[in-house]
Amino acid sequence: MSGDRRKEIVRHLSEDDLDRLLAESTDEKLTERLIFIKRVYKGATLEDAADDVGRSSATGTRWARRWNKGGLGLLMPNFGGGRPPKLGEDQRELLLELLRDGQPWKKQEIQHLINEEFDVEFHPVYLSTFLEDLGLSYAIPRTKHPSRPENAEEILDERVADAFDEGTDEPHNQREGDEEEGWVVDKEIRTDGGTILGFLDTSHLQPWDNSQRLYTVDDPYITRPLVKLDEPAVGFYALSGESVIQFPANQEKERICGCFEGIREQNPGQRILLVLDNFSSHVCEYTRRRAHQLGIDLVFLPVGSPDLNPIEQVWKSLKWEASPLIVESAAEYRALLTELFKQLTTQLSFAVSWIDEHLGGYLQKLR
């Protein structure tokens, strides 16, 4: 389809056949669809042709697609005479196709679509049940980064496998073009006591964040002191070993390396595999070299793939747990977050699917 939304239309019927069917039609739905097809035959855009019969451009796009695929038989659903109480199997399959083409949808939009395409109107309460039976998901859609590769999970699998590969003496964090000096593990660092795997991420948590629904008798307000947390929270969620939350002044490379040092201090004696995103201060040579000196091998997520980091779910739960609580100072809030983070990260449930999908046969290598 070009920029003016014109579309090649299959001429299943001649214009004379269309005119004959229009003259004979006593069905309002058939008439408007035939008029739409005739207008597109004449060179109208889908938007203009749909507007001529009082329909949206999205409806015009669906009609054109169905006409091209199956002619009048597919363009005109079989309503079975009158207003049926529910959709049959064929109509459900067609509805799923329409929903898949236009997803995501609001509930009101689906109600309008069902009424427009099938002449059926569900009660709003039953509609939720019907959509659940149809297999639809009801959740906040994740934003997909335009640079995210289609095979992000496969890329992560390869990087995890590479991190566990013991067949090379080359520093794992070193890249082509890096300086040769400095890629030596600090003498006081031991990494022969097993392997710790954990996930690192930064979150900007504030005492006024509200994530939890609460019952109230009167207006649902919470009066909070004017407290603000200036520092980001940097969390390390360990599958084995000790999880750590820290509050550096900023996310510059020196501060991130300071967080690495804090993680190493709490997890002595083991090699650490650290899964993290591609933030600039994470991927720079300075950070990668300092991580190597600390015996920390970095496993970078594919670009635009924050959903592949289980600590995202920890942050979500942390905000939910902290949201109804009132604190009097930033120091009290940091202490609260530290305690809640410690409690939450004792659970492996946040990473169960990640473990199943990406750790495979490496579990025995973890401490």
Side-chain angles (χ1 to χ4, degrees), residues 42-326:
K42 293 292 188 182
T45 64
L46 300 184
E47 184 176 3
D48 287 343
D51 187 62
D52 287 342
V53 293
R55 299 293 184 172
S56 67
S57 59
T59 297
T61 300
R62 290 196 301 270
W63 284 359
R65 185 185 302 117
R66 286 159 59 180
W67 170 270
N68 282 348
K69 185 175 180 180
L72 190 59
L74 192 56
L75 182 62
M76 279 296 294
N78 179 16
F79 298 120
R83 186 182 293 258
K86 61 182 180 179
L87 302 182
E89 288 300 319
D90 291 343
Q91 291 169 320
R92 287 184 176 217
E93 289 299 322
L94 178 56
L95 175 60
L96 276 174
E97 182 181 333
L98 296 175
L99 293 174
R100 187 172 290 110
D101 286 343
Q103 62 187 333
W105 298 80
K106 297 178 181 177
K107 190 175 180 180
Q108 303 93 312
E109 293 173 334
I110 297 178
Q111 180 75 277
H112 177 73
L113 173 69
I114 293 173
N115 181 256
E116 185 178 71
E117 295 293 330
F118 304 101
D119 200 22
V120 171
E121 186 166 350
F122 290 122
H123 189 281
V125 174
Y126 175 71
L127 180 60
S128 298
T129 302
F130 171 75
L131 297 178
E132 183 178 344
D133 291 342
L134 207 58
L136 269 65
S137 299
Y138 187 58
I140 299 174
R142 292 194 302 266
T143 301
K144 183 176 180 180
H145 195 286
S147 300
R148 177 190 173 106
E150 292 297 329
N151 61 335
E153 290 82 0
E154 296 176 12
I155 293 174
L156 180 57
D157 281 342
E158 293 176 0
R159 292 178 180 177
V160 171
D162 183 53
F164 277 103
D165 184 9
E166 300 175 351
T168 176
D169 295 328
E170 295 295 323
H172 177 80
N173 300 335
Q174 192 173 20
R175 296 180 178 180
E176 186 177 351
D178 289 344
E179 294 183 4
E180 293 299 323
E181 300 295 324
W183 294 90
V184 179
V185 178
D186 291 349
K187 293 181 179 179
E188 67 274 16
I189 300 295
R190 288 180 51 249
T191 60
D192 57 355
T195 298
I196 292 173
L197 175 66
F199 309 92
L200 183 130
D201 190 43
T202 302
S203 184
H204 296 272
L205 305 164
Q206 295 297 342
W208 58 76
D209 290 336
N210 288 326
S211 301
Q212 192 172 149
R213 294 184 179 184
L214 302 170
Y215 288 104
T216 57
V217 176
D218 300 311
D219 292 339
Y221 295 121
I222 298 177
T223 302
R224 299 180 184 277
L226 297 178
V227 175
K228 179 182 178 183
L229 193 65
D230 294 323
E231 307 90 352
V234 177
F236 173 66
Y237 170 38
L239 297 187
S240 54
E242 293 296 321
S243 297
V244 183
I245 185 171
Q246 301 171 80
F247 301 92
N250 53 54
Q251 296 186 70
E252 294 178 359
K253 58 182 184 293
E254 294 84 1
R255 304 291 185 178
I256 294 299
C257 289
C259 291
F260 288 174
E261 292 165 6
I263 293 169
R264 168 49 74 195
E265 181 179 347
Q266 295 299 314
N267 294 276
Q270 295 88 32
R271 178 195 184 202
I272 298 175
L273 296 185
L274 191 59
V275 179
L276 70 172
D277 63 26
N278 293 268
F279 191 67
S280 57
S281 60
H282 298 170
V283 300
C284 68
E285 181 180 350
Y286 179 96
T287 301
R288 290 184 284 106
R289 181 169 55 241
R290 182 58 184 145
H292 177 75
Q293 293 167 356
L294 293 167
I296 299 175
D297 287 343
L298 305 179
V299 180
F300 290 104
L301 296 166
V303 174
S305 305
D307 57 296
L308 297 182
N309 195 341
I311 198 174
E312 294 283 348
Q313 298 303 314
V314 177
W315 291 136
K316 183 178 179 180
S317 294
L318 182 63
K319 291 177 182 178
W320 191 87
E321 292 284 354
S323 62
L325 305 179
I326 297 175

